[in-house]
């Protein structure tokens, strides 16, 4: 409902149009009530003119009618809140959905202390309040200077690689626990920070999607605050929104909150993002409406494109399941980007004597992913089942077999056998081959890439193979359209290039190189992520109970250490998962 304070603020903001609205409500032969006519009464009673008029309107039950008359003249009373919310918008609709969405909520750590709450809104983006990550006041030198990290739903702490993705400070008055007097003070001061995680951890949790348009804020509409009071998980806050007189940049709400709640996502009863909780100023709390920062937020979210992660090689329960390997997919996605420093991956075994399970499966993963866009990718596979007396010749022939058009070999004078050292001759041949392959793949179409997969040699490399392998890898890394995936070869460092711990480590200028992925075990969380991805893809409606049931059944009796399982058990665990997921699906279909 419209309050007297709303009306007073509207009259004070625009007296001319306020009087026009006042005259529009008056009929009959009596002299009209005007702002000028109200002055003597105001002076007599020690009131403001707008206070007298608001009281008169309230006595005549005309507050709502006058608010509509003001709105018709472009004057809003309080924030842009529509008429009171319908009953269904004031109460929780689907508790189960709120539980799932709540997994996007997180805690923000500034330095070594939890400073507030936040929410995943993309694969690698976390939304929070600016003052949660700030160590100093706005307009001071380097106010955001401490290390920022995030505690996600699994309780683990994750690195933030970029705190400057989007920043809009709070007002200086708010930082000093005072509230500005008018909307002008809030210009470009939204108290919002968008953080970028080092890796797209949001793909393992439910991240909250930002709506295409800010949902309307209705008076008395219900809201949920996904917060961590005092840094603890105590369930989500519930309350209702109400306007602040004469202010549109902030909205009042009455959900319970405490220190550590700042920056939390605020949702309506349809679980749509409507803003972020800013803080508690007795007797109420307030939020920053999404409408204030929606456009820059959407711009960043649309650019936060997640890699494609497989849970099954065939996207159903008939094919082999994929446990873990997210770093493989992240590296592959970054390497597929034109101009990227990441030129492929190295898959290394934690224990080189433990077999080739993870290495051989890497070839299948790579082919499955590249086959999804054959117009862009060409894959050749180089094995060492038999000694490669001419490794560079074998690479050349595989490329020809794949349809690339290569010029005839022309060994320059001085580089023929006997003209120079074997190392120099092989190095020159490798450079010419890499250049020819790069030119051929680029000539075959825009943004096309040639991928060379090197299988781990069971018996190691002979000297000539090693020399040619190192020379080719070094030369290929320098070519913009060539990509490498090297499985095994643990005794050889990446020749001629950098090694990256993840895709984010390759941002900025520098030499090209390969993302390093270690295989040897998988975690309980990775098995759980697979189940959740299968649930989402197949529409199984497992819920948390179903996910945990299948997870426990799949890992029952399997030896583990610190929730990590040796890769040798992956086939058995995958078979159990498939069986349980099929049973659940069949039961679900039988009940329809």
């Amino acid at each position: 409902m419209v309050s007297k304070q709303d009306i007073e603020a509207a009259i004070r903001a625009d007296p001319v149009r306020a009087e026009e609205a006042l005259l529009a409500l008056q009929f009959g032969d009596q002299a009209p009530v005007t702002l000028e006519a109200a002055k003597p009464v105001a002076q007599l009673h020690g009131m403001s003119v707008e206070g007298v008029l608001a009281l008169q309107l309230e006595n005549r039950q005309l507050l709502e009618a006058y608010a509509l008359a003001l709105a018709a003249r472009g004057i809003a009373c309080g924030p842009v809140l529509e008429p009171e919310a319908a009953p269904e918008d004031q109460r929780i609709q689907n508790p189960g959905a709120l539980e799932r969405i709540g997994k996007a909520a997180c805690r923000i750590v500034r330095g070594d202390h939890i400073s507030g709450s936040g929410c995943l809104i993309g694969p690698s983006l976390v939304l929070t309040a600016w003052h949660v990550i700030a160590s100093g006041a706005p307009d001071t030198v380097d106010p955001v200077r401490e290390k920022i990290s995030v505690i996600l739903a699994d309780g683990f702490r994750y690195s933030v690689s970029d705190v400057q993705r989007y920043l809009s400070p709070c007002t200086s008055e708010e930082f000093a626990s005072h509230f500005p007097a008018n909307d002008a003070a809030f210009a470009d001061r939204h108290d919002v920070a968008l953080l970028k995680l080092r890796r797209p951890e949001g793909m393992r949790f439910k991240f909250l999607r930002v709506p295409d348009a800010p949902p309307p804020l209705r008076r008395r509409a219900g809201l949920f605050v996904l917060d961590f009071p005092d840094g603890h998980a105590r369930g989500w806050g519930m309350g209702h929104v109400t306007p602040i007189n004469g202010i549109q940049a902030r909205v009042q709400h009455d959900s319970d909150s405490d220190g550590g709640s700042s920056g939390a996502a605020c949702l309506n009863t349809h679980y749509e993002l409507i803003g972020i909780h800013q803080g508690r100023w007795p007797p109420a709390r307030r939020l920053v409406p999404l409408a204030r920062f929606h456009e820059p937020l959407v711009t960043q979210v649309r650019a936060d494109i997640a890699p494609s992660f497989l849970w099954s090689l065939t996207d159903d329960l008939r094919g082999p399941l994929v446990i873990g390997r997210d770093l493989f997919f992240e590296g592959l996605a970054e390497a597929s980007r034109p101009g990227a420093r990441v030129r492929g991956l190295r898959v290394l075994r934690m224990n080189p004597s433990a077999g080739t399970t993870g290495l051989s499966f890497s070839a299948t993963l790579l082919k499955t992913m590249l086959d999804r866009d054959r117009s862009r990718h060409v894959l050749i596979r180089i094995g060492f089942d038999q000694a490669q007396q001419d490794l560079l010749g074998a690479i050349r022939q595989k490329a020809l077999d794949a349809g690339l058009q290569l010029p005839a070999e022309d060994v320059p004078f001085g580089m023929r056998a006997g003209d120079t050292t074997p190392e120099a001759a092989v190095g020159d041949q490798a450079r010419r081959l890499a250049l020819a392959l790069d030119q051929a793949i680029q000539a075959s179409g825009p943004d096309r890439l040639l991928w060379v997969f090197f299988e781990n040699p069971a018996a190691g490399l002979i000297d000539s193979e090693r020399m040619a392998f190192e020379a080719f890898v070094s030369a290929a890394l320098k070519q913009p359209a060539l990509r490498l995936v090297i499985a095994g070869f643990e005794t050889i460092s990446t020749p001629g290039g950098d090694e990256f711990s993840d895709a984010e480590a390759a941002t900025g200028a520098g030499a090209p190189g390969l993302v390093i992925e270690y295989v040897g075990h998988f975690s309980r969380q990775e098995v759980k992520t697979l189940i959740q991805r299968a649930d989402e893809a197949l529409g199984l409606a497992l819920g948390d109970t179903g996910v945990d049931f299948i997870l426990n059944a799949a890992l029952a009796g399997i030896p583990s250490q610190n929730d990590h399982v040796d890769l040798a058990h992956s086939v058995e665990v995958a078979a159990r998962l498939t069986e349980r997921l099929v049973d659940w699906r069949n039961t679900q279909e039988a009940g329809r």
Side-chain angles (χ1 to χ4, degrees):
M1 295 178 63
V2 177
S3 68
K4 286 191 300 180
Q5 291 77 17
D6 292 335
I7 298 301
E8 290 177 30
I11 296 173
R12 193 180 305 116
D14 195 332
V16 175
R17 284 188 290 177
E19 186 153 88
E20 292 176 0
L22 191 62
L23 293 172
L25 292 182
Q26 301 179 58
F27 303 95
D29 298 328
Q30 294 183 351
V33 176
T34 63
L35 270 65
E36 189 65 29
K39 284 182 179 179
V41 179
Q43 292 173 353
L44 178 63
H45 294 281
M47 299 172 62
S48 66
V49 171
E50 53 268 21
V52 169
L53 292 174
L55 182 60
Q56 292 269 354
L57 291 167
E58 182 183 44
N59 290 337
R60 299 181 187 186
Q61 298 184 341
L62 291 175
L63 289 177
E64 297 289 343
Y66 186 59
L68 293 174
L70 288 171
R73 288 157 178 80
I75 304 176
C77 290
V80 183
L81 295 176
E82 297 189 4
E84 185 163 321
E88 63 269 20
D89 292 328
Q90 298 186 37
R91 302 184 64 83
I92 187 169
Q93 301 295 312
N94 184 346
L98 180 61
E99 180 182 359
R100 292 192 297 274
I101 290 171
K103 289 179 171 55
C106 57
R107 284 165 277 193
I108 309 299
V109 181
R110 187 177 69 225
D112 292 319
H113 303 284
I114 295 175
S115 57
S117 302
C119 184
L120 284 161
I121 60 168
S124 61
L125 295 179
V126 172
L127 177 66
T128 188
W130 179 87
H131 76 266
V132 166
I133 66 169
S135 302
D139 304 321
T140 60
V141 177
D142 194 21
V144 181
R145 54 181 175 269
E146 295 185 72
K147 182 179 179 181
I148 305 298
S149 55
V150 174
I151 300 174
L152 297 180
D154 59 1
F156 290 100
R157 192 165 158 180
Y158 295 89
S159 297
V160 170
S161 64
D162 185 3
V163 298
Q164 304 285 338
R165 187 60 47 159
Y166 170 69
L167 293 178
S168 180
C170 61
T171 65
S172 298
E173 293 92 335
E174 288 174 305
F175 197 82
S177 298
H178 302 302
F179 193 66
N182 55 63
D183 257 343
F186 295 98
D188 298 322
R189 295 297 180 107
H190 308 315
D191 199 7
V192 171
L194 192 58
L195 315 175
K196 188 178 190 303
L197 298 176
R198 187 175 184 88
R199 294 182 59 190
E201 308 291 352
M203 294 304 294
R204 299 191 292 111
F205 303 95
K206 284 284 185 181
F207 60 83
L208 189 64
R209 298 191 182 277
V210 177
D212 293 333
L217 286 173
R218 305 180 188 276
R219 295 174 182 275
R220 297 299 302 160
L223 92 159
F224 303 101
V225 182
L226 306 186
D227 64 341
F228 294 88
D230 291 326
H232 301 296
R234 297 178 181 170
W236 310 129
M238 298 177 62
H240 299 83
V241 297
T242 54
I244 299 174
N245 297 331
I247 299 294
Q248 297 184 28
R250 304 291 186 262
V251 174
Q252 191 170 270
H253 71 84
D254 58 8
S255 172
D256 191 23
S257 64
D258 213 325
S261 296
S262 294
C266 296
L267 315 182
N268 60 19
T269 55
H270 301 284
Y271 312 118
E272 299 171 307
L273 181 67
I274 58 173
I276 61 169
H277 171 71
Q278 189 188 26
R280 175 181 179 180
W281 286 267
R285 291 84 174 160
R286 63 175 179 252
L287 64 85
V288 182
L290 176 61
R292 304 294 293 190
F293 56 93
H294 179 262
E295 184 175 346
L297 196 68
V298 167
T299 299
Q300 293 295 333
V301 168
R302 287 174 178 167
D304 187 35
I305 301 173
S308 296
F309 295 102
L310 294 182
W311 64 274
S312 160
L313 290 184
T314 56
D315 295 326
D316 56 31
L317 294 173
R318 293 174 296 177
L321 302 186
V322 182
I323 304 175
R325 307 302 302 268
D326 280 9
L327 184 57
F328 183 91
F329 297 121
E330 292 169 33
L332 184 64
E334 180 63 16
S336 299
R337 188 174 60 82
R341 285 181 63 198
V342 174
R343 300 293 169 84
L345 299 103
R346 289 201 66 176
V347 183
L348 304 176
R349 292 165 293 182
M350 295 177 178
N351 180 5
S353 64
T356 62
T357 301
L359 302 184
S360 56
F361 194 52
S362 299
T364 307
L365 285 181
L366 179 64
K367 184 177 187 306
T368 301
M369 294 299 292
L370 298 184
D371 280 351
R372 297 186 173 203
D373 192 359
R374 295 185 182 181
S375 64
R376 278 200 66 210
H377 303 292
V378 175
L379 171 64
I380 61 176
R381 186 169 174 174
I382 306 299
F384 294 87
D385 293 337
Q386 297 179 346
Q388 295 279 7
Q389 299 296 336
D390 182 10
L391 176 60
L392 298 179
I395 295 172
R396 177 184 175 85
Q397 187 58 52
K398 288 277 189 177
L400 290 170
D401 294 343
L404 294 185
Q405 302 296 315
L406 298 176
E409 287 192 271
D410 183 15
V411 183
F413 179 76
M415 289 297 171
R416 294 182 176 86
D419 291 344
T420 185
T421 63
E423 291 84 354
V426 169
D428 177 73
Q429 184 184 359
R431 286 189 293 273
R432 286 186 286 106
L433 175 60
L435 178 61
L437 292 173
D438 185 78
Q439 292 174 339
I441 191 65
Q442 291 199 53
S444 67
D447 293 334
R448 297 199 83 201
L449 298 173
L450 173 64
W451 295 76
V452 184
F453 181 87
F454 287 102
E455 297 182 25
N456 184 68
L461 297 177
I462 61 177
D463 288 345
S464 61
E465 289 175 328
R466 184 186 184 106
M467 188 185 306
F469 171 78
E470 291 181 339
F472 180 77
V473 170
S474 178
L477 286 173
K478 297 177 175 63
Q479 299 302 327
L482 300 189
R483 298 294 185 265
L484 306 172
V485 177
I486 303 171
F489 297 83
E490 284 85 6
T491 60
I492 302 176
S493 61
T494 304
D498 278 349
E499 295 184 343
F500 307 120
S501 59
D502 51 42
E504 187 66 26
T507 56
L514 305 175
V515 167
I516 307 300
E517 182 198 26
Y518 289 94
V519 297
H521 59 61
F522 56 91
S523 68
R524 181 181 180 88
Q525 177 61 48
E526 287 174 326
V527 179
K528 186 173 184 177
T529 297
L530 187 158
I531 299 169
Q532 291 168 334
R533 288 173 179 168
D535 178 27
E536 185 173 357
L538 303 176
L540 299 177
L542 293 175
D544 289 346
T545 302
V547 169
D548 289 340
F549 171 76
I550 294 175
L551 175 65
N552 292 331
L555 296 177
I558 302 291
S560 65
Q561 185 173 5
N562 296 326
D563 279 340
H564 284 75
V565 178
D566 192 281
L567 196 61
H569 299 287
S570 60
V571 174
E572 181 181 358
V573 172
R576 292 184 182 184
L577 286 172
T578 299
E579 180 182 1
R580 294 291 182 175
L581 289 167
V582 168
D583 286 348
W584 188 286
R585 183 190 60 188
N586 291 342
T587 301
Q588 184 185 57
E589 291 176 349
R592 290 175 179 170

